[in-house]
Amino acid sequence: EQLRITREVKIPLLRFFDSYTEEQILTVGKRTALEFLQAITTNTIKEFVSDSLNRWLSDKLGLIARNEVVVEDIILVGLIRTRTFRKFVHLYTAEMDTCMLIVDELENLTGYINILYFNALISIQQDLYKKAQELSKIGNWTWDLQTNKRVWSDELFRTYELEKQLYAPENLAEYNHPE
């Protein structure tokens, strides 16, 4: 069922499994679903999520490089889990209140996981952005109009050969060549 939903929502991560047979995809899917469920039942889900996140951040996912995961992957994995749980939760209990509590708990967990993964994805993107600035020797800055403060990127401080500080110098023109 999870594979059917995965194909239905067209999760981008599935492209990395193009060379896998249907059986291989099912084997991987069953293994990861079982690990996820075991972490929930043994109340070790935070450790499971942390380990999973660390594998991603340290580029140890195997088929997928850490910078190949996109926002849609994060959102759709949570959606797939929720839809799969909803489909089978009635097999666990016939009590509607219990079913609703389980689904609510899963949605809370999905939100928690999404926050962790979005923050990690933003961090990866910021690292790539900083590397691009460093390689191109081009920095950037932002200007807060309410406080009249400018914040420089690390590369801009390097360009002007200044020590990094929270805000940019007030008299920027002093640091530019007169020509």
Side-chain angles (χ1 to χ4, degrees):
E1 181 63 19
Q2 194 168 4
L3 180 57
R4 184 192 65 73
I5 296 170
T6 300
R7 287 192 171 126
E8 178 183 299
V9 299
K10 298 179 178 137
I11 188 167
L13 281 176
L14 204 53
R15 73 184 184 279
F16 296 104
F17 296 91
D18 285 344
S19 64
Y20 279 45
T21 66
E22 186 83 6
E23 187 176 317
Q24 289 172 315
I25 293 171
L26 287 171
T27 300
V28 170
K30 285 179 186 176
R31 180 179 43 83
T32 56
L34 182 61
E35 289 170 359
F36 183 77
L37 290 171
Q38 285 174 335
I40 289 173
T41 59
T42 59
N43 203 24
T44 58
I45 192 65
K46 285 191 177 184
E47 293 86 352
F48 174 83
V49 171
S50 178
D51 291 346
S52 173
L53 187 59
N54 288 333
R55 278 196 317 275
W56 173 37
L57 293 176
S58 60
D59 217 3
K60 294 180 181 173
L61 291 181
L63 283 176
I64 306 158
R66 75 183 207 133
N67 61 343
E68 293 176 315
V69 176
V70 295
V71 170
E72 292 84 356
D73 293 322
I74 296 168
I75 293 170
L76 294 174
V77 165
L79 175 70
I80 292 163
R81 282 187 182 136
T82 302
R83 283 189 182 173
T84 304
F85 266 83
R86 281 188 185 146
K87 177 121 176 129
F88 294 107
V89 73
H90 73 278
L91 298 174
Y92 175 73
T93 181
E95 288 186 39
M96 184 55 85
D97 289 343
T98 304
C99 286
M100 293 305 294
L101 286 172
I102 291 170
V103 170
D104 285 349
E105 191 66 28
L106 178 65
E107 287 174 350
N108 289 337
L109 175 61
T110 299
Y112 167 77
I113 292 170
N114 284 350
I115 289 168
L116 291 177
Y117 275 76
F118 282 137
N119 285 336
L121 185 62
I122 289 168
S123 177
I124 289 169
Q125 294 303 316
Q126 286 174 338
D127 288 347
L128 291 171
Y129 185 64
K130 285 178 183 179
K131 285 179 187 173
Q133 285 190 38
E134 187 178 339
L135 288 170
S136 64
K137 304 265 189 246
I138 297 173
N140 73 311
W141 55 272
T142 58
W143 183 10
D144 183 336
L145 295 174
Q146 291 178 340
T147 64
N148 198 31
K149 299 283 185 186
R150 288 171 299 282
V151 178
W152 285 7
S153 67
D154 293 351
E155 189 57 32
L156 208 47
F157 279 107
R158 279 192 286 277
T159 300
Y160 282 94
E161 298 178 346
L162 297 172
E163 286 291 318
K164 185 176 177 189
Q165 49 193 333
L166 185 58
Y167 296 109
E170 291 294 323
N171 300 330
L172 179 61
E174 290 178 11
Y175 299 98
N176 290 329
H177 193 276
E179 294 177 17

